[in-house]
Amino acid sequence: MKTKILWLSNAVLTSEKTKSTGTWLQSMAVSLITADVELYNISQSNVSDIINKKSDIAEQWVFPTFKLKNGLPTQNILNKLLQIIASIKPDVIQVWGTESFWGLLIARGFLKDYKCVLDTQGLKSSCVPVFYGGLSFKEIIKCIHLKELLFFNHSVIFSKWQHAQWEKYENEILSNIDNVSTQSEWIRSWILPRVKYNAQIFNTGISVREEFVTANKWSGQDRCKRIIFAMSSEGKPYKGLHIAIKALGVLKEIYNDDVELRIAGNFGVTRNRFMIPGYTKYLLSLIKRLKLESNVKFLGSLDSTTLIGEMLNADVMVHPSFVESYSVSLAEAMILGVPSVVSFVGAMPELAVNNESALFYNSTDYKKCAYQIFRLLTDGTLAKKISEESISMAIVRNSSSFVLDQQLSIYKKILGQ
């Protein structure tokens, strides 16, 4: 008889190529169904009513996003959610992340009849100290425009406040969980003072999408124009795109128009002027001030095929984030062998070794970031070494078989097998 696993997550699972976040969850889901597992998934998305659909990966329910009161939705929504869970009768419920109310269902006893495990992923509270990404007060003000003045909840200041407010719910979740899984030692250091002293703590692996594993590996390009690639799942200052742009400003003094920064992600660049987010407007003004209009290209959200093509076409990939509990984009770059320049923050040093499988810099030091990129652009031997070492590390750590064994082991231990 198959083990029934229910996920409460932020990802709508699909077998199709996706441009959304949570792609590593889809990869893990595909691996799980090859084992003796019956997978179910409940998530939230921009839908008008609850949707139930089956796919070749899992049966799932998609709930609309809704306002929360004291961390939870209305009693009516809770009742519908609990009815669905009861109809599944899962052997294990896995909550992915503390960023939504799912973990509060465990902490407040709604799921006391089930065996549960929480995977911490990122913590909103860990973003608060570095939320502005080293921006000066003057630069923060440049992120505020008419839209943010009229609708303050769209501003970076309000967004930071929201992250800080959620910390009390993070603490409530973590202090009432018996089983916790983490993706890095760094995230363990953040949860250590908050979890129960007798809580079981497991390690969750991250598998990258199969397309990245089977794709051709990076081999470098022989051309005059240098291509730097960056990507971000969200347009927030702590993702550090302004550092990558400032580093590009340094490199332009060397290469003039023969260098380009190509940025993947949905930052609202193509919206009308009023709807462009404040931080994105700051990036555009920074690009203009540094005279980089012809050196920066925003690519929008990319599916896996296009993303792989962009990464393999790049000479260097830069990861400028100020906080990372893992970094799927770095793991994907490493398994492709794309030489990477990485900020020395969070779990990044756990994924790569400085001067061996990546080149590191301190997060605010855009000049050192530029220098590390320059080293890879001018030293083909170093770039090849970094590429080969990164593949060697990632091919084992992020392989679907290795990650699957880790995940099944977690479920078996929780079930007492």
Side-chain angles (χ1 to χ4, degrees):
M1 189 172 180
K2 289 189 174 183
T3 303
K4 290 184 177 182
I5 305 296
L6 169 62
W7 285 359
L8 303 180
S9 74
N10 66 344
V12 179
L13 302 176
T14 174
S15 56
E16 300 175 359
K17 293 176 182 178
T18 178
K19 301 177 182 180
S20 63
T21 58
T23 53
W24 61 273
L25 274 179
Q26 311 227 76
S27 179
M28 181 180 287
V30 170
S31 297
L32 275 176
I33 62 174
T34 64
D36 201 22
V37 167
E38 193 172 307
L39 185 62
Y40 300 84
N41 184 53
I42 300 177
S43 61
Q44 286 185 281
S45 187
N46 187 26
V47 295
S48 57
D49 200 0
I50 301 171
I51 297 175
N52 173 221
K53 56 182 181 180
K54 295 183 179 180
S55 71
D56 53 356
I57 298 178
E59 181 173 4
Q60 55 191 325
W61 290 261
V62 184
F63 277 69
T65 54
F66 28 68
K67 291 183 178 180
L68 304 177
K69 185 176 181 181
N70 192 26
L72 292 176
T74 64
Q75 189 62 50
N76 181 46
I77 293 294
L78 281 175
N79 289 340
K80 291 180 180 179
L81 179 62
L82 294 174
Q83 286 171 8
I84 293 170
I85 294 173
S87 69
I88 297 170
K89 298 178 181 177
D91 297 298
V92 176
I93 296 176
Q94 175 135 24
V95 171
W96 291 104
T98 58
E99 301 95 331
S100 70
F101 72 89
W102 301 126
L104 290 172
L105 298 179
I106 303 175
R108 296 181 183 176
F110 291 99
L111 303 179
K112 63 180 183 298
D113 296 328
Y114 304 95
K115 294 182 181 295
C116 301
V117 58
L118 168 79
D119 189 277
T120 47
Q121 297 186 176
L123 295 173
K124 286 188 175 182
S125 58
S126 70
C127 300
V128 174
V130 293
F131 194 91
Y132 295 136
L135 293 177
S136 66
F137 177 75
K138 185 177 180 180
E139 288 174 316
I140 295 170
I141 295 302
K142 287 183 178 179
C143 295
I144 300 174
H145 298 268
L146 179 60
K147 174 187 173 184
E148 285 76 30
L149 292 173
L150 293 175
F151 306 100
F152 191 65
N153 60 324
H154 287 268
S155 68
V156 294
I157 296 173
F158 185 81
S159 185
K160 179 181 178 181
W161 177 84
Q162 281 186 312
H163 278 62
Q165 291 300 299
W166 191 256
E167 183 173 5
K168 64 181 179 182
Y169 297 124
E170 281 183 354
N171 290 336
E172 182 182 354
I173 293 168
L174 291 168
S175 62
N176 288 282
I177 298 293
D178 293 317
N179 302 298
V180 184
S181 62
T182 65
Q183 301 167 3
S184 65
E185 293 292 335
W186 180 82
I187 204 70
R188 288 193 185 204
S189 72
W190 273 80
I191 70 169
L192 182 63
R194 311 192 210 181
V195 296
K196 293 179 177 180
Y197 75 93
N198 60 345
Q200 289 194 91
I201 300 180
F202 306 100
N203 184 59
T204 300
I206 300 294
S207 57
V208 301
R209 287 169 280 182
E210 190 63 23
E211 304 98 291
F212 287 82
V213 177
T214 58
N216 294 328
K217 302 308 178 187
W218 182 88
S219 58
Q221 302 291 336
D222 183 15
R223 62 187 170 209
C224 293
K225 192 166 191 176
R226 282 74 173 179
I227 302 296
I228 304 161
F229 182 75
M231 64 180 296
S232 177
S233 59
E234 54 184 340
K236 295 288 194 299
Y238 60 77
K239 288 298 183 179
L241 286 178
H242 53 283
I243 298 296
I245 291 169
K246 288 179 180 180
L248 180 68
V250 175
L251 293 167
K252 181 167 182 175
E253 295 180 21
I254 303 169
Y255 294 108
N256 297 312
D257 287 334
D258 288 332
V259 64
E260 182 176 75
L261 174 63
R262 299 172 68 84
I263 305 173
N266 182 17
F267 310 111
V269 174
T270 58
R271 299 177 189 172
N272 66 58
R273 287 183 61 189
F274 182 74
M275 295 304 294
I276 295 176
Y279 176 64
T280 301
K281 284 187 178 180
Y282 164 70
L283 294 180
L284 294 174
S285 68
L286 179 62
I287 290 167
K288 184 176 181 180
R289 178 169 65 82
L290 297 176
K291 299 179 181 180
L292 298 172
E293 293 94 334
S294 62
N295 303 89
V296 179
K297 185 170 184 180
F298 289 93
L299 304 173
S301 298
L302 305 179
D303 63 28
S304 57
T305 300
T306 311
L307 179 58
I308 290 170
E310 287 287 344
M311 293 170 76
L312 292 178
N313 185 54
D315 296 289
V316 180
M317 185 163 175
V318 61
H319 303 263
S321 182
F322 279 74
V323 58
E324 287 290 347
S325 60
Y326 197 79
S327 176
V328 177
S329 61
L330 176 57
E332 290 175 340
M334 290 179 68
I335 212 162
L336 290 175
V338 184
S340 295
V341 172
V342 185
S343 55
F344 197 92
V345 298
M348 299 289 228
E350 297 178 43
L351 301 185
V353 179
N354 189 31
N355 287 318
E356 292 185 17
S357 46
L359 298 184
F360 282 79
Y361 70 95
N362 290 332
S363 55
T364 58
D365 194 347
Y366 68 90
K367 291 185 179 181
K368 182 62 178 291
C369 177
Y371 174 70
Q372 298 290 54
I373 294 171
F374 176 77
R375 289 178 65 196
L376 291 172
L377 293 178
T378 56
D379 189 340
T381 302
L382 174 63
K384 184 179 179 182
K385 172 197 167 187
I386 295 290
S387 174
E388 292 173 349
E389 288 293 329
S390 65
I391 293 171
S392 296
M393 287 189 70
I395 202 71
V396 175
R397 178 189 62 215
N398 300 112
S399 71
S400 58
S401 59
F402 179 73
V403 173
L404 175 61
D405 288 344
Q406 282 184 303
Q407 199 61 30
L408 291 176
S409 174
I410 292 172
Y411 296 148
K412 288 177 181 177
K413 288 177 181 177
I414 291 172
L415 290 170
Q417 297 175 0

